[in-house]
Amino acid sequence: MMLGFSAFSMKAQDSWVVYLNKVQVLQSTQESPEKNIVSINEEDLKNKQVFTLTYFDREKQKDWSRFIMLNNSEDHEIRRLKSNRLRYTNQDLLKLLQKYKTIHIYTWALPDDPALRKRIRVRRVHLCTLVLE
């Protein structure tokens, strides 16, 4: 009886995937700042393609919003957006990487209800780190 309960109570894993120039460069279900690194050289960003990161919630919580945040290596926020997808043209990504060299991408979800939002604490999840070679 206990085994059946625990099997049903386990949450399916969220996942995320990163594409550069229509080529998948990272797919993960586990937070790992040491492993989830995408090295990019300037030549990769010379064409008119795009960089895309998409986060997939296995169990989407009703009335909650997903956020993605980009931080520099000193943990200062570069950009925050309310979405499960981050998309940059190669030209725009190149400008960011030339300026910051390393960009850490995080996500978290928050309730839409402001009263509930004030009462909870949410930990950000590291998705990947972009490094200009």
Side-chain angles (χ1 to χ4, degrees), residues 38-44 97 101 130-133:
V38 177
S39 296
I40 302 173
N41 63 50
E42 289 190 27
E43 287 299 314
D44 294 331
L97 285 169
K101 308 297 183 218
L130 306 178
V131 178
L132 182 64
E133 292 182 333

Side-chain angles (χ1 to χ4, degrees), residues 27-40:
Q27 179 178 3
S28 188
T29 58
Q30 294 186 346
E31 180 179 19
S32 177
E34 299 80 25
K35 293 181 182 176
N36 294 345
I37 297 173
V38 177
S39 296
I40 302 173

Side-chain angles (χ1 to χ4, degrees), residues 8-21:
F8 286 109
S9 66
M10 291 175 59
K11 181 182 178 204
Q13 290 183 321
D14 293 352
S15 63
W16 54 96
V17 63
V18 177
Y19 285 91
L20 179 62
N21 300 327

Side-chain angles (χ1 to χ4, degrees), residues 33-67:
E34 299 80 25
K35 293 181 182 176
N36 294 345
I37 297 173
V38 177
S39 296
I40 302 173
N41 63 50
E42 289 190 27
E43 287 299 314
D44 294 331
L45 302 174
K46 295 282 183 185
N47 59 44
K48 295 184 186 272
Q49 297 286 333
V50 294
F51 168 88
T52 307
L53 180 149
T54 306
Y55 189 88
F56 301 97
D57 291 290
R58 285 290 182 205
E59 295 176 18
K60 181 130 174 76
Q61 293 178 282
K62 186 178 180 195
D63 300 324
W64 282 58
S65 296
R66 167 89 27 215
F67 294 85

Side-chain angles (χ1 to χ4, degrees), residues 98-112:
Q98 286 173 332
K99 181 174 182 179
Y100 298 108
K101 308 297 183 218
T102 300
I103 298 172
H104 303 274
I105 303 176
Y106 300 95
T107 190
W108 67 91
L110 289 173
D112 296 332

